Amino acid sequence: MEFYLDTADVAAVKRLAAVLPIKGVTTNPSIVSRSKRPLSSVLEELVSILPADSTLFAQVIAHDAAAMVDEALHLREIVPSLVVKVPVTHNGLTAIKALTQQNIPTLGTAVYGAGQGFYAALAGASYIAPYVNRVDAQGGDGIMLVKELQRLLSLHCPQSKVLAASFRTPRQVLDCMLAGCESITVDPDVAELFLLDPAVDSALQRFDQDWTAAYGELKIY
């Protein structure tokens, strides 16, 4: 299971990488634009704070297949190990096929249907990113999309992985993992919600109260 943070917030990555067992960081044009910094600077700083075996993702913004490939090559000059995110469109599939032929790993992104994602896997994408919450917001079933896509890949393209994205709640994240999803990317705020439960704080306070009542201070030795 690969767990990624979906952010370009370097401070958040630095803080959470020390706590959470993350495999790396995913970014997209919207996320990077919120930082108001050049993409190259963001990627270089993320690389500098992540462990050497981490994986970093960044997305092309061109719409033409040839331009997508050119941007992918440029991104790989910044981070040689980068996985290039390519939207799964007609031109995107052409670009994924071309990049696969050059042994450049890709992630097929902006996936709203299992068939669409399966095309990306057949084209050679290493990862496929279904948008769980965005599908739900359109009246669909994001978790079912993940289940269907995971089943298709398991049967026909085991070399590709579902990397589920777009979450609003920890429940959506858990449901994807329970569906057999092999990788997932989560906004830092949603990731932290797994640890932010008032009941946990209450239990710890009770432990402290009981201990100090018996021994006078919070020390084991």
PDB file of all heavy atoms in Angstrom, residues 47 74-83 103-105:
ATOM      1  N   VAL A  47      11.687  17.493  -3.293  1.00  0.00           N
ATOM      2  CA  VAL A  47      12.706  16.447  -3.405  1.00  0.00           C
ATOM      3  C   VAL A  47      13.714  16.555  -2.266  1.00  0.00           C
ATOM      4  O   VAL A  47      14.154  15.547  -1.702  1.00  0.00           O
ATOM      5  CB  VAL A  47      13.430  16.535  -4.768  1.00  0.00           C
ATOM      6  CG1 VAL A  47      14.684  15.667  -4.775  1.00  0.00           C
ATOM      7  CG2 VAL A  47      12.508  16.111  -5.884  1.00  0.00           C
ATOM      8  N   HIS A  74      10.644  17.886 -19.956  1.00  0.00           N
ATOM      9  CA  HIS A  74      11.144  19.021 -19.170  1.00  0.00           C
ATOM     10  C   HIS A  74      11.003  18.748 -17.668  1.00  0.00           C
ATOM     11  O   HIS A  74      11.936  19.015 -16.890  1.00  0.00           O
ATOM     12  CB  HIS A  74      10.372  20.287 -19.542  1.00  0.00           C
ATOM     13  CG  HIS A  74      10.723  21.475 -18.690  1.00  0.00           C
ATOM     14  ND1 HIS A  74      11.933  22.130 -18.766  1.00  0.00           N
ATOM     15  CD2 HIS A  74      10.018  22.110 -17.710  1.00  0.00           C
ATOM     16  CE1 HIS A  74      11.963  23.110 -17.885  1.00  0.00           C
ATOM     17  NE2 HIS A  74      10.816  23.129 -17.236  1.00  0.00           N
ATOM     18  N   LEU A  75       9.868  18.217 -17.251  1.00  0.00           N
ATOM     19  CA  LEU A  75       9.662  17.904 -15.842  1.00  0.00           C
ATOM     20  C   LEU A  75      10.674  16.873 -15.348  1.00  0.00           C
ATOM     21  O   LEU A  75      11.165  16.953 -14.221  1.00  0.00           O
ATOM     22  CB  LEU A  75       8.238  17.380 -15.625  1.00  0.00           C
ATOM     23  CG  LEU A  75       7.106  18.395 -15.768  1.00  0.00           C
ATOM     24  CD1 LEU A  75       5.750  17.689 -15.741  1.00  0.00           C
ATOM     25  CD2 LEU A  75       7.175  19.438 -14.654  1.00  0.00           C
ATOM     26  N   ARG A  76      11.005  15.920 -16.199  1.00  0.00           N
ATOM     27  CA  ARG A  76      11.976  14.896 -15.819  1.00  0.00           C
ATOM     28  C   ARG A  76      13.397  15.454 -15.757  1.00  0.00           C
ATOM     29  O   ARG A  76      14.267  14.868 -15.097  1.00  0.00           O
ATOM     30  CB  ARG A  76      11.906  13.746 -16.811  1.00  0.00           C
ATOM     31  CG  ARG A  76      10.596  12.971 -16.769  1.00  0.00           C
ATOM     32  CD  ARG A  76      10.613  11.837 -15.792  1.00  0.00           C
ATOM     33  NE  ARG A  76      11.535  10.791 -16.225  1.00  0.00           N
ATOM     34  CZ  ARG A  76      11.678   9.626 -15.603  1.00  0.00           C
ATOM     35  NH1 ARG A  76      10.974   9.372 -14.518  1.00  0.00           N
ATOM     36  NH2 ARG A  76      12.531   8.726 -16.047  1.00  0.00           N
ATOM     37  N   GLU A  77      13.640  16.571 -16.405  1.00  0.00           N
ATOM     38  CA  GLU A  77      14.934  17.241 -16.250  1.00  0.00           C
ATOM     39  C   GLU A  77      15.050  17.851 -14.853  1.00  0.00           C
ATOM     40  O   GLU A  77      16.132  17.893 -14.269  1.00  0.00           O
ATOM     41  CB  GLU A  77      15.110  18.321 -17.314  1.00  0.00           C
ATOM     42  CG  GLU A  77      15.322  17.787 -18.715  1.00  0.00           C
ATOM     43  CD  GLU A  77      15.430  18.886 -19.743  1.00  0.00           C
ATOM     44  OE1 GLU A  77      15.298  20.078 -19.356  1.00  0.00           O
ATOM     45  OE2 GLU A  77      15.637  18.581 -20.931  1.00  0.00           O
ATOM     46  N   ILE A  78      13.919  18.318 -14.325  1.00  0.00           N
ATOM     47  CA  ILE A  78      13.915  18.899 -12.975  1.00  0.00           C
ATOM     48  C   ILE A  78      14.062  17.810 -11.924  1.00  0.00           C
ATOM     49  O   ILE A  78      14.864  17.917 -10.991  1.00  0.00           O
ATOM     50  CB  ILE A  78      12.612  19.696 -12.741  1.00  0.00           C
ATOM     51  CG1 ILE A  78      12.463  20.807 -13.779  1.00  0.00           C
ATOM     52  CG2 ILE A  78      12.574  20.268 -11.327  1.00  0.00           C
ATOM     53  CD1 ILE A  78      11.097  21.476 -13.761  1.00  0.00           C
ATOM     54  N   VAL A  79      13.266  16.757 -12.078  1.00  0.00           N
ATOM     55  CA  VAL A  79      13.299  15.613 -11.154  1.00  0.00           C
ATOM     56  C   VAL A  79      13.383  14.341 -12.005  1.00  0.00           C
ATOM     57  O   VAL A  79      12.362  13.879 -12.531  1.00  0.00           O
ATOM     58  CB  VAL A  79      12.050  15.571 -10.249  1.00  0.00           C
ATOM     59  CG1 VAL A  79      12.133  14.391  -9.290  1.00  0.00           C
ATOM     60  CG2 VAL A  79      11.885  16.875  -9.484  1.00  0.00           C
ATOM     61  N   PRO A  80      14.565  13.770 -12.170  1.00  0.00           N
ATOM     62  CA  PRO A  80      14.734  12.617 -13.063  1.00  0.00           C
ATOM     63  C   PRO A  80      13.874  11.405 -12.732  1.00  0.00           C
ATOM     64  O   PRO A  80      13.544  10.620 -13.620  1.00  0.00           O
ATOM     65  CB  PRO A  80      16.226  12.287 -12.912  1.00  0.00           C
ATOM     66  CG  PRO A  80      16.857  13.602 -12.556  1.00  0.00           C
ATOM     67  CD  PRO A  80      15.854  14.265 -11.667  1.00  0.00           C
ATOM     68  N   SER A  81      13.486  11.261 -11.466  1.00  0.00           N
ATOM     69  CA  SER A  81      12.675  10.108 -11.063  1.00  0.00           C
ATOM     70  C   SER A  81      11.174  10.404 -11.061  1.00  0.00           C
ATOM     71  O   SER A  81      10.370   9.566 -10.642  1.00  0.00           O
ATOM     72  CB  SER A  81      13.086   9.642  -9.668  1.00  0.00           C
ATOM     73  OG  SER A  81      12.873  10.676  -8.713  1.00  0.00           O
ATOM     74  N   LEU A  82      10.792  11.573 -11.527  1.00  0.00           N
ATOM     75  CA  LEU A  82       9.401  12.023 -11.461  1.00  0.00           C
ATOM     76  C   LEU A  82       8.455  11.102 -12.229  1.00  0.00           C
ATOM     77  O   LEU A  82       8.791  10.600 -13.301  1.00  0.00           O
ATOM     78  CB  LEU A  82       9.298  13.429 -12.048  1.00  0.00           C
ATOM     79  CG  LEU A  82       7.943  14.123 -11.918  1.00  0.00           C
ATOM     80  CD1 LEU A  82       7.830  14.804 -10.568  1.00  0.00           C
ATOM     81  CD2 LEU A  82       7.753  15.156 -13.028  1.00  0.00           C
ATOM     82  N   VAL A  83       7.253  10.880 -11.669  1.00  0.00           N
ATOM     83  CA  VAL A  83       6.167  10.239 -12.399  1.00  0.00           C
ATOM     84  C   VAL A  83       5.312  11.360 -12.989  1.00  0.00           C
ATOM     85  O   VAL A  83       4.851  12.243 -12.260  1.00  0.00           O
ATOM     86  CB  VAL A  83       5.314   9.340 -11.490  1.00  0.00           C
ATOM     87  CG1 VAL A  83       4.155   8.737 -12.285  1.00  0.00           C
ATOM     88  CG2 VAL A  83       6.165   8.232 -10.887  1.00  0.00           C
ATOM     89  N   ASN A 103      10.208   4.750 -21.694  1.00  0.00           N
ATOM     90  CA  ASN A 103      10.413   4.259 -20.320  1.00  0.00           C
ATOM     91  C   ASN A 103      10.238   5.358 -19.272  1.00  0.00           C
ATOM     92  O   ASN A 103      10.920   5.363 -18.239  1.00  0.00           O
ATOM     93  CB  ASN A 103      11.788   3.610 -20.169  1.00  0.00           C
ATOM     94  CG  ASN A 103      11.925   2.360 -21.009  1.00  0.00           C
ATOM     95  OD1 ASN A 103      11.032   1.518 -21.043  1.00  0.00           O
ATOM     96  ND2 ASN A 103      13.055   2.229 -21.705  1.00  0.00           N
ATOM     97  N   ILE A 104       9.336   6.282 -19.544  1.00  0.00           N
ATOM     98  CA  ILE A 104       9.010   7.341 -18.584  1.00  0.00           C
ATOM     99  C   ILE A 104       7.699   6.968 -17.909  1.00  0.00           C
ATOM    100  O   ILE A 104       6.668   6.817 -18.573  1.00  0.00           O
ATOM    101  CB  ILE A 104       8.889   8.705 -19.284  1.00  0.00           C
ATOM    102  CG1 ILE A 104      10.266   9.121 -19.839  1.00  0.00           C
ATOM    103  CG2 ILE A 104       8.351   9.761 -18.331  1.00  0.00           C
ATOM    104  CD1 ILE A 104      10.242  10.397 -20.637  1.00  0.00           C
ATOM    105  N   PRO A 105       7.707   6.810 -16.587  1.00  0.00           N
ATOM    106  CA  PRO A 105       6.484   6.398 -15.881  1.00  0.00           C
ATOM    107  C   PRO A 105       5.444   7.505 -15.872  1.00  0.00           C
ATOM    108  O   PRO A 105       5.773   8.685 -15.734  1.00  0.00           O
ATOM    109  CB  PRO A 105       6.986   6.090 -14.471  1.00  0.00           C
ATOM    110  CG  PRO A 105       8.209   6.932 -14.304  1.00  0.00           C
ATOM    111  CD  PRO A 105       8.847   6.991 -15.667  1.00  0.00           C
TER     112      PRO A 105
END
